[in-house]
Amino acid sequence: MRDEVLRRVRAAVATLVLAGLLVAPWVVDDYTAAILARTLALGLVGVSVALLTGVAGMPTLGQTAPYAAGAYASAVLGSQVSDVGVVQVAVAALAGATLAAVTLPLVVPARGVIVLMITLAVGELAVTVLGRWRSVTGGTDGLAGIAGVRPFWGLPVLVTDQARYLYTLVVVATLVGAVLLLLRTRAGVLLRAGRDDEMRLRASGHRVPLYLSGAHVAAGAIAGAAGSLLVVAQQYISPADFGFDTSALLLLGVVIGGTASVGGALVGAVLVIAVRDWLFGVLPGHAPLVLGALFVATVYLLPTGVTRARRPRPIPAPRPPDATPTRDRDVTPELRV
C-alpha cells in the first residue's frame, strides 16, 4: 500500500514538473529561461552518469569529458559548417561516443573506486587539453559569439532565450525517452543483472565486458549531445564549464535523485543546480552548506534517492543446501531473458 501511494505521488509530481517545464517560457523572464535551458543540459549529463553508475554499476566522475567533447565539436561545427541543430546534436553525440570508446580499455576492466579515479583523471585531462589547445578551443578564454542554431533545415534561427529553452526541452525529452525505452529491452535487463551479480552473469555465458562497453559508449553519446545543448543555451563555452566542480555536482545530483533511476538523475541534477544557482543569491556563501546538508539528509533518510523512496523488501529466508530450483520463480528473473 505504501509503495503504491509513493508511486502515485511520484507520478503526480512528475506530471506537475513536466507541466511546469512546458509553460515556463511564458511565465519566466529571459534570464530564468536561459538558466533553465542550461540546467536541462546538465540534467541530461546526469542521465548519462546514472546510466553508468546506477544501471551498469560503474561509478564515474568523468562524464564531463564527453560533455566537453560534444560541446566543442558542436561549437566549431556551428561556426564553420552548419547551424542546423539536429546535425550539431548528432555530431556532438558522435564526438562524445568516440571519446568514450577511446577510454574503454581503461574503464571497462576496472571496478568500484578504481573506475571513479580513472574517470576523474580522464575528466581532468580533458580540461587540461581544452585549456592548452588554444587554436581550436580558444584556451582558457573559451569560445564566444557562437552562431545561433536552427532546429531543422528551413526553419528560422532561434534568437530568443525562450525559443532556445523549448528546443533544449524537446531534445532532452526525446533522448531521455529513448534511454527509458532502451532500458526496457534485453540489453537494459542484462546491464542490471551484471551490476547485481556479475559472476553469475558470466557463468551463464554472457559477455559482460561487451555490455559495459556499450553502456559506456552510449553514456558518452548522451553527454556529448548535452554539450551541444549547452552551446545553444549559453552561446559560449570555456574549460571552466567542465571542471571537477561540475563532475561532483552531477554525481551529487544523481545520488540525491536516485542512482538507479534515469528520471531521478534528471530531477536530482536539476535540484542541485537550482540550489547552487538560485540559493547562492539568497544565501550568499552558504550554497555549498545547503548542498552538503541535502546530501547527508538524503543518504540517511532516503538511501535510494528522493524519486525511489520505498520500503525495503524483506530479505527471503535462506534455502536449504539440498534444495534445487524446480520452477521458474526459483531462477533470478534477470537471467531468464
Side-chain angles (χ1 to χ4, degrees):
M1 178 63 73
R2 182 174 180 267
D3 289 346
E4 178 63 21
V5 172
L6 289 174
R7 188 186 65 81
R8 292 184 179 183
V9 170
R10 285 200 299 268
V13 172
T15 302
L16 290 175
V17 170
L18 182 59
L21 291 174
L22 288 174
V23 303
W26 292 274
V27 297
V28 300
D29 55 19
D30 292 347
Y31 175 76
T32 305
I35 292 294
L36 286 175
R38 182 172 180 268
T39 302
L40 284 175
L42 285 167
L44 188 58
V45 187
V47 170
S48 73
V49 174
L51 180 61
L52 288 176
T53 303
V55 178
M58 294 190 296
T60 178
L61 273 171
Q63 282 305 99
T64 50
Y67 181 41
Y72 278 92
S74 180
V76 173
L77 183 73
S79 301
Q80 302 180 5
V81 180
S82 173
D83 63 352
V84 179
V86 65
V87 175
Q88 293 186 14
V89 170
V91 170
L94 179 61
T98 302
L99 182 59
V102 170
T103 61
L104 279 179
L106 298 174
V107 176
V108 172
R111 294 293 182 273
V113 178
I114 297 178
V115 179
L116 209 62
M117 295 299 101
I118 291 176
T119 53
L120 174 61
V122 171
E124 291 301 298
L125 181 61
V127 172
T128 302
V129 172
L130 292 175
R132 296 186 178 182
W133 198 3
R134 180 170 292 276
S135 61
V136 176
T137 66
T140 54
D141 296 331
L143 299 175
I146 300 172
V149 65
R150 63 181 80 240
F152 288 97
W153 295 272
L155 295 180
V157 175
L158 305 179
V159 294
T160 66
D161 291 315
Q162 283 78 8
R164 287 191 283 268
Y165 164 77
L166 288 175
Y167 167 79
T168 303
L169 179 62
V170 169
V171 175
V172 169
T174 302
L175 293 178
V176 171
V179 172
L180 291 175
L181 289 177
L182 178 64
L183 292 179
R184 291 178 176 273
T185 65
R186 173 186 171 89
V189 175
L190 288 173
L191 274 177
R192 291 192 177 93
R195 174 201 62 194
D196 295 338
D197 195 340
E198 180 178 340
M199 295 303 295
R200 190 173 184 182
L201 194 63
R202 287 177 181 272
S204 62
H206 291 90
R207 302 174 63 183
V208 175
L210 181 62
Y211 305 142
L212 295 180
S213 299
H216 189 61
V217 173
I222 295 170
S228 176
L229 299 181
L230 178 69
V231 173
V232 174
Q234 289 191 162
Q235 301 288 291
Y236 74 90
I237 51 174
S238 73
D241 294 316
F242 313 102
F244 174 75
D245 292 348
T246 303
S247 297
L249 284 175
L250 288 171
L251 186 59
L252 175 61
V254 170
V255 171
I256 290 175
T259 56
S261 168
V262 170
L266 185 60
V267 171
V270 169
L271 182 62
V272 168
I273 299 302
V275 170
R276 187 195 66 174
D277 290 350
W278 283 310
L279 284 187
F280 184 79
V282 179
L283 300 170
H286 295 84
L289 179 62
V290 175
L291 283 174
L294 185 61
F295 176 75
V296 172
T298 302
V299 169
Y300 278 94
L301 300 178
L302 302 170
T304 57
V306 295
T307 61
R308 302 287 294 178
R310 65 176 57 180
R311 185 169 44 194
R313 295 180 178 178
I315 301 175
R319 196 166 48 198
D322 58 342
T324 56
T326 57
R327 291 178 293 183
D328 288 346
R329 68 168 180 266
D330 294 324
V331 181
T332 301
E334 290 80 357
L335 301 184
R336 287 191 285 106
V337 296

